[in-house]
Amino acid sequence: VLTPRSGRIVAARKLLRRSARREQGLVLLEGPSAVGAAADAGLIQELYVTADAAERHADLVERIEAAGVRPWFVAPEAAAALSETVTPQGIVAIVPLPQVSLQHALERPALRPAARLVVVLAEARDPGNAGTVIRTADAAGADCVVLAGASVDPWSGKCVRASAGSLLHLPVVDGVGVEETITAVRAAGCRALAADGHAEAGLYDLAVTDVLRGDHAWVFGNEAHGLSSDVLRTVDSAVSVPVYGRAESLNLASAAAVCLYESARVAGGPSGRGWDT
Amino acid sequence: VLTPRSGRIVAARKLLRRSARREQGLVLLEGPSAVGAAADAGLIQELYVTADAAERHADLVERIEAAGVRPWFVAPEAAAALSETVTPQGIVAIVPLPQVSLQHALERPALRPAARLVVVLAEARDPGNAGTVIRTADAAGADCVVLAGASVDPWSGKCVRASAGSLLHLPVVDGVGVEETITAVRAAGCRALAADGHAEAGLYDLAVTDVLRGDHAWVFGNEAHGLSSDVLRTVDSAVSVPVYGRAESLNLASAAAVCLYESARVAGGPSGRGWDT
């Protein structure tokens, strides 16, 4: 049973830092959803699990073992040492850092979906919000998510946890500037729509619905400051989620859920966003 | 300048406990959004503010003073003592605990809105989620929110903060059992719809759209366990938010945002959810 001072745990713990993740090309994934998604994708290189968690997630651990990865049993303190969350979940995997270029993420697949849906988070600073938006983007059938500009690292513990495995379900790109991202998205044939509480055009306006029928990208701004006027000048249109009551605004993840599902609804659901035959 | 040991701060600090809030009929509201909403409603009994926050929110403090409430200047440590959040915001008000009965919240107003929208959270345990749903319910034009069963206290610091003032914008009821709430909602003429990822009926099915045109209530379950089969038996229908990608589900606040805005969209926005003439 490994302790926080075991060499493997000391080495793995370094991956809590973004710089070490980049350098080694490896990330830590904590919790059954993320580890399960990594197992589905055949990505697990190492698995650390407490006796308790091995019992709670016996099926998952068995599945990973059957795929040829022998789990390391660790003390609860060692699992906690690999966790960035308040309640460590006792199951942590090391997987290769998925490296996807923006260009590649924006390529239209050979069997192309009827309409592409791209999600851009500009300067998103809260890892919980970012992870939640990645999860919602996955659920809504988005093609990729870009964490642009000085956004949080998608592979930080809190973001991984909030994404509930979705980080491994669709390409997530980071490290590209916001305006560069919007330029690339538009060059790839997507209309860029900024979600902006002050925009005149409302989400349910007919002209917006028309845009949602084609390839498009939603751009969401920072939790506190929204989108800068520079960014607003680079998009095709700005769109507001209407507020019917007395709230000043929606929070970032809620606004994203409303916009992304309106895209999914307009596209006509699985068949609309599915594959051409 | 008051310190954490000043009598007023020691007394106010007691209101961090639910039992003291009930006993005294008072709650603490932290942060500029919540304090601003309380000022709009003329509810502020006491205001505690640090020198820094008084400068940052000079307009708000001035407005409260003009209404006859003299602010108490407090040391940052005293503001922190009244805060349940990691980053205290330096501005805290005491307001009377709004007491709304479920019966009263469900009454159709004299100038009745075209269709009523009620939100029920059953056994919601995360105060951040609950506050976010209250904020979204307000934005979507809902009539009231019920935190039913063993849900978190809406007046806990984290819920107040996540609600961004919306707790004071619409009636929020707690302390009523889940099944009792659903029975009352249905007796008041609202169709009860359970949001349930396993339901056959999808949010965008025509039959569901028809229900959303009339008075209805959305019932959302616990973050981890969803809704119990007992609760599912008491509602009129169960409805799933479709998942188009590979996510297993949406998180509670995102699912609520999608459902409540679909209700708002179907009702036709402010005119649809507005007042009959």
Side-chain angles (χ1 to χ4, degrees):
Chain A
V1 173
L2 303 181
T3 74
R5 276 180 294 178
S6 304
R8 287 191 170 269
I9 299 297
V10 172
R13 198 171 145 65
K14 297 207 170 108
L15 297 174
L16 293 176
R17 290 204 320 272
R18 186 175 197 164
S19 57
R21 291 195 286 265
R22 310 262 136 179
E23 218 175 273
Q24 301 182 39
L26 295 172
V27 294
L28 288 173
L29 296 180
E30 190 198 8
S33 317
V35 172
D40 291 343
L43 290 175
I44 296 182
Q45 295 195 348
E46 304 267 354
L47 180 70
Y48 303 102
V49 64
T50 61
D52 269 9
E55 208 179 294
R56 254 194 329 273
H57 310 295
D59 286 1
L60 175 58
V61 173
E62 206 170 285
R63 187 149 62 88
I64 295 168
E65 271 196 283
V69 178
R70 217 178 119 205
W72 296 95
F73 285 93
V74 303
E77 298 74 31
L82 300 181
S83 171
E84 286 172 283
T85 58
V86 190
T87 48
Q89 298 183 79
I91 183 162
V92 178
I94 295 186
V95 309
L97 174 67
Q99 309 240 16
V100 191
S101 72
L102 179 59
Q103 226 50 50
H104 188 81
L106 293 175
E107 265 167 31
R108 183 181 289 276
L111 298 163
R112 71 174 181 78
R116 276 179 302 165
L117 173 58
V118 171
V119 181
V120 179
L121 290 178
E123 321 285 350
R125 303 314 296 268
D126 181 292
N129 269 338
T132 303
V133 174
I134 292 167
R135 180 177 175 183
T136 305
D138 177 16
D143 295 274
C144 66
V145 177
V146 186
L147 289 189
S151 290
V152 290
D153 182 357
W155 303 100
S156 74
K158 278 185 191 169
C159 185
V160 168
R161 182 150 178 183
S163 91
S166 290
L167 259 171
L168 297 171
H169 290 160
L170 77 177
V172 176
V173 179
D174 68 339
V176 185
V178 177
E179 292 174 43
E180 192 185 333
T181 300
I182 295 173
T183 304
V185 159
R186 297 184 67 212
C190 295
R191 297 284 288 272
L193 298 174
D196 173 27
H198 303 291
E200 259 185 57
L203 179 61
Y204 307 121
D205 291 0
L206 288 181
V208 174
T209 303
D210 271 347
V211 173
L212 300 186
R213 287 208 182 87
D215 294 347
H216 63 282
W218 277 107
V219 184
F220 301 103
N222 173 272
E223 291 86 349
H225 310 296
L227 290 163
S228 71
S229 50
D230 283 350
V231 169
L232 287 172
R233 267 192 292 273
T234 63
V235 298
D236 292 289
S237 351
V239 175
S240 59
V241 176
V243 169
Y244 304 114
R246 291 166 57 205
E248 267 177 49
S249 63
L250 289 167
N251 92 344
L252 168 61
S254 302
V258 172
C259 293
L260 297 178
Y261 263 86
E262 182 60 7
S263 293
R265 186 189 72 80
V266 167
S271 54
R273 195 159 300 294
W275 306 95
D276 282 350
T277 48
Chain B
V1 172
L2 304 180
T3 74
R5 275 180 294 179
S6 305
R8 286 191 170 269
I9 300 297
V10 172
R13 198 172 144 66
K14 295 206 171 109
L15 297 175
L16 293 175
R17 290 203 321 272
R18 186 175 196 162
S19 57
R21 291 194 286 266
R22 309 263 135 180
E23 220 175 272
Q24 300 184 39
L26 295 171
V27 294
L28 287 173
L29 297 180
E30 190 199 9
S33 318
V35 172
D40 291 343
L43 289 176
I44 297 183
Q45 295 196 348
E46 304 267 354
L47 180 70
Y48 302 101
V49 65
T50 62
D52 269 11
E55 207 179 296
R56 256 196 325 276
H57 309 296
D59 287 0
L60 175 58
V61 173
E62 206 170 286
R63 187 149 62 89
I64 294 168
E65 270 195 284
V69 178
R70 219 177 117 204
W72 296 95
F73 285 94
V74 303
E77 299 74 31
L82 300 182
S83 170
E84 285 173 284
T85 58
V86 191
T87 48
Q89 299 183 79
I91 183 163
V92 178
I94 296 185
V95 309
L97 174 68
Q99 309 239 17
V100 190
S101 72
L102 179 58
Q103 225 50 49
H104 188 80
L106 293 175
E107 265 167 32
R108 182 181 288 278
L111 297 163
R112 70 175 182 76
R116 276 179 301 165
L117 173 58
V118 171
V119 181
V120 179
L121 290 178
E123 320 286 349
R125 304 313 294 268
D126 181 292
N129 269 339
T132 302
V133 174
I134 291 167
R135 180 176 174 184
T136 305
D138 178 15
D143 295 273
C144 66
V145 177
V146 187
L147 290 189
S151 290
V152 290
D153 183 357
W155 303 99
S156 73
K158 279 187 189 166
C159 185
V160 167
R161 182 153 179 178
S163 91
S166 290
L167 259 171
L168 296 172
H169 290 161
L170 77 177
V172 176
V173 179
D174 69 338
V176 185
V178 176
E179 293 174 42
E180 192 186 333
T181 299
I182 295 173
T183 305
V185 158
R186 298 184 67 213
C190 295
R191 296 285 288 271
L193 298 173
D196 172 27
H198 303 292
E200 259 186 56
L203 180 60
Y204 307 121
D205 291 359
L206 288 181
V208 174
T209 303
D210 271 346
V211 173
L212 300 186
R213 287 209 180 88
D215 295 346
H216 64 281
W218 278 107
V219 184
F220 302 103
N222 173 271
E223 292 85 349
H225 310 296
L227 289 164
S228 71
S229 50
D230 282 350
V231 169
L232 286 171
R233 267 193 292 273
T234 63
V235 298
D236 293 289
S237 349
V239 175
S240 59
V241 176
V243 169
Y244 303 115
R246 291 165 59 206
E248 266 177 49
S249 63
L250 289 166
N251 92 344
L252 168 60
S254 303
V258 172
C259 294
L260 297 179
Y261 264 85
E262 182 61 5
S263 292
R265 185 189 73 77
V266 167
S271 54
R273 196 161 298 294
W275 306 96
D276 283 352
T277 47

